[in-house]
């Protein structure tokens, strides 16, 4: 009889886990994929929405993709569970409950701007497509005012407990390039304040260096280790007493888990406690967690998919009675869009156990920490933007088979030539 596996979440981790498991254990497994949304949203490319991209181009219907892979798809919200009985309770959908032999949880995160008084009321945010469209409107207004001769101040803000600052760095560089093209850059002051001790702290000293050079080249005023305490209309107050003014505030708020699932063990933000390499939820041998929903401190689509592969591999190995072929080795890969150029980073990471600086570059992976800046990396970002939706649309995992081997080889060649 086929083993019943339920995967919850229709994002990067959920789709990757479901498609990977199907690819590895076809015929031996019955997979049900549950998601509160019927569409997959390709969030990393939502950075283009404020500058004109139609958000509809980032949506992919999950139902047909799952059907292609022979996976049952249920649109419903997971509300609770009984891990002793292996049962899930669903709201807003049919059926009202599901039974599983193995469960992979990939329900992602959500924003909690309320942690910083005033942030939710005064800042433009970047989590949803609607927020990105709202930002588009605010940027157009800003350009209009700048053209009329009203000097404008834009402040980018990363508060503590944001777990993925990269996109805000992309947006500040993209905005600078875009304002130059609009011919109004001189009328706009841009500042960037982050709680991090180094810019894009999680990705180590080389990324910090790149950002410092870019801020200097572009005339952006950057400050680190500034902890936002309160947001008032037109000014942000920081813990050490300083303030920064703004006409437009753009922020990426603190993260919490999207779904709290007692009695599963979780940290104080609801992120599920997992064994690092296998993604098994601590104390629950049949339950795994991948992506933003789990307790790995850096939240990223690339890391989410690596975790999903590792979780699905564990489940596949148990069903097939084989040894797992891979485990989760935290390595981040990202390409940071800047419009006039782009920055590539390949960063092997290590957990430190220090809550102030929970990850650091893994020095043992000497030579694999690579960073490069070149307009050619924009092509790499475009390629990933086509490759990933193409794989998912066809019910196939991102990291598997010959297409991924070819993609990886291409990235390696580019990284040898264009990064150090
Ligand atoms: C603007 C922006 C740019 C980014 N750029 C990059 C980038 O360039 N590179 C990169 O690697 N990462 C990037 N990220 C981060 C990346 O998007 C996330 O890390 C990634 O989406 C996490 O994937 P996930 O599957 O864990 O969660 P999500 O993609 O958030 O998916 C969660 C899924 O679970 C579903 N769900 C939630 N709760 C429930 C429930 N209770 N029941 C059923 N279903 C539920 C949701 O509907 C969704 O389908 C960016 C993020 C943002 C906001």
């Amino acid at each position: 009889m086929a083993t019943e596996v339920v995967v919850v979440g229709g994002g990067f981790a959920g789709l990757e886990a479901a498609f990977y498991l199907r690819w590895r254990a076809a015929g031996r497994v019955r997979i049900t994929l549950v998601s509160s949304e019927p569409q997959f949203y390709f969030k990393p490319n939502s950075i283009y929405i404020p500058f004109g991209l139609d958000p509809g181009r980032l949506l992919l219907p999950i139902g047909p993709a799952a059907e292609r892979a022979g996976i049952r798809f249920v649109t419903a919200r997971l509300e609770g569970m009984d891990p002793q009985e292996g049962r899930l309770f669903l709201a807003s959908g049919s059926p009202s409950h599901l039974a599983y032999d193995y469960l992979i949880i990939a329900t992602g995160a959500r924003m909690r701007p309320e942690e910083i008084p005033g942030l939710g009321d005064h800042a433009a945010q970047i989590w949803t497509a609607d927020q990105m469209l709202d930002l588009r409107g605010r940027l157009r207004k800003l350009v209009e005012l700048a053209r009329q001769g009203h000097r404008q101040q834009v402040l980018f803000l990363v508060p503590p407990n944001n777990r993925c600052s990269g996109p805000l760095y992309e947006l500040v560089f993209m905005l600078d390039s875009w304002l130059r093209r609009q011919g109004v850059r001189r009328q706009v002051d841009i500042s960037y304040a982050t709680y991090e001790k180094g810019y894009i702290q999680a990705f180590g000293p080389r990324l910090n260096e790149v950002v410092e050079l870019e801020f200097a080249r572009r005339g952006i005023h950057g400050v680190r280790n500034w902890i936002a305490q309160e947001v008032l209309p037109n000014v942000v107050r920081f813990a050490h007493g300083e303030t920064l003014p703004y006409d437009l505030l753009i922020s990426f708020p603190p993260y919490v888990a999207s779904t709290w699932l007692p009695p599963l063990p979780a940290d104080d933000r609801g992120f599920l406690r997992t064994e690092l390499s296998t993604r098994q939820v601590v104390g629950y041998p049949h339950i795994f967690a991948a992506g933003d929903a789990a307790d790995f401190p850096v939240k990223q689509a690339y890391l989410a998919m690596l975790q999903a592969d590792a979780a699905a591999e564990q489940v596949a190995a148990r069903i097939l009675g084989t040894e797992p072929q891979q485990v989760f080795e935290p390595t981040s890969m990202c390409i940071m869009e800047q419009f006039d150029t782009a920055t590539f980073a390949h960063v092997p990471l290590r957990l430190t156990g220090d809550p102030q600086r929970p990850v650091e570059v893994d020095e043992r992976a000497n030579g694999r920490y690579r960073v490069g800046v070149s307009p050619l990396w924009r092509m790499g970002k475009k390629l990933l933007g086509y490759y990933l939706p193409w794989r998912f649309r066809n019910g196939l995992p991102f990291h598997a088979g010959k297409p991924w081997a070819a993609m990886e080889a291409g990235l390696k060649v580019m990284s040898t030539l264009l990064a150090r």
Side-chain angles (χ1 to χ4, degrees), residues 9-13 35-36 43-44 77-78 107 167 258-259 291-292 300-302:
F12 288 89
S35 178
S36 51
K43 237 180 249 164
R77 189 172 168 77
L78 173 66
T107 43
S258 82
T259 310
D292 286 7
Q300 244 207 340
Y302 188 77

Side-chain angles (χ1 to χ4, degrees), residues 50 124 126 131-139 171 248 250:
I126 64 168
Q131 289 170 342
M132 286 298 204
L133 280 171
D134 170 65
L135 178 57
R136 183 195 291 178
R138 295 190 198 215
L139 292 181
L171 284 168
L248 172 58
I250 305 174

Side-chain angles (χ1 to χ4, degrees), residues 150-163:
H150 303 287
R151 190 157 199 86
Q152 296 294 296
Q153 289 183 315
V154 183
L155 172 60
F156 287 80
L157 179 69
V158 189
N161 288 309
N162 176 275
R163 299 288 170 91

Side-chain angles (χ1 to χ4, degrees), residues 116 155-161 169 191-199 201 221-230 235-245:
I116 316 291
L155 172 60
F156 287 80
L157 179 69
V158 189
N161 288 309
Y169 289 90
S191 306
Y192 195 103
T194 178
Y195 78 97
E196 302 161 295
K197 293 197 171 62
Y199 297 121
Q201 181 177 330
H221 169 61
V223 289
R224 285 165 291 192
N225 204 9
W226 281 38
I227 298 171
Q229 200 166 47
E230 187 184 14
V235 69
V236 176
R237 217 176 274 291
F238 293 87
H240 60 298
E242 298 267 8
T243 57
L244 282 175

Side-chain angles (χ1 to χ4, degrees), residues 94 173 324:
S94 168
F173 296 139

Side-chain angles (χ1 to χ4, degrees), residues 134-146:
D134 170 65
L135 178 57
R136 183 195 291 178
R138 295 190 198 215
L139 292 181
R140 289 192 175 160
K141 183 93 198 141
L142 177 101
V143 169
E144 217 177 282
L145 289 169

Side-chain angles (χ1 to χ4, degrees), residues 47-48 50-51 135-136 138-143 152-156 167-186 188-192 218 220 248-250 337-340:
I47 50 166
Y48 297 107
F51 305 100
L135 178 57
R136 183 195 291 178
R138 295 190 198 215
L139 292 181
R140 289 192 175 160
K141 183 93 198 141
L142 177 101
V143 169
Q152 296 294 296
Q153 289 183 315
V154 183
L155 172 60
F156 287 80
L168 211 62
Y169 289 90
E170 290 187 288
L171 284 168
V172 72
F173 296 139
M174 291 165 83
L175 178 66
D176 170 72
S177 303
W178 184 75
L179 290 174
R180 284 172 203 276
R181 287 175 197 167
Q182 303 290 318
V184 293
R185 178 63 181 92
R186 284 179 183 198
V188 181
D189 298 320
I190 305 180
S191 306
Y192 195 103
R218 294 169 190 271
I220 295 168
L248 172 58
L249 176 66
I250 305 174
E337 175 66 272
Q338 292 158 237
F339 276 156
D340 55 352

Side-chain angles (χ1 to χ4, degrees), residues 39 101 122 149 160 173 230 251 274 401:
Q39 318 233 45
D101 297 312
H122 301 300
F173 296 139
E230 187 184 14
S251 183
T274 52

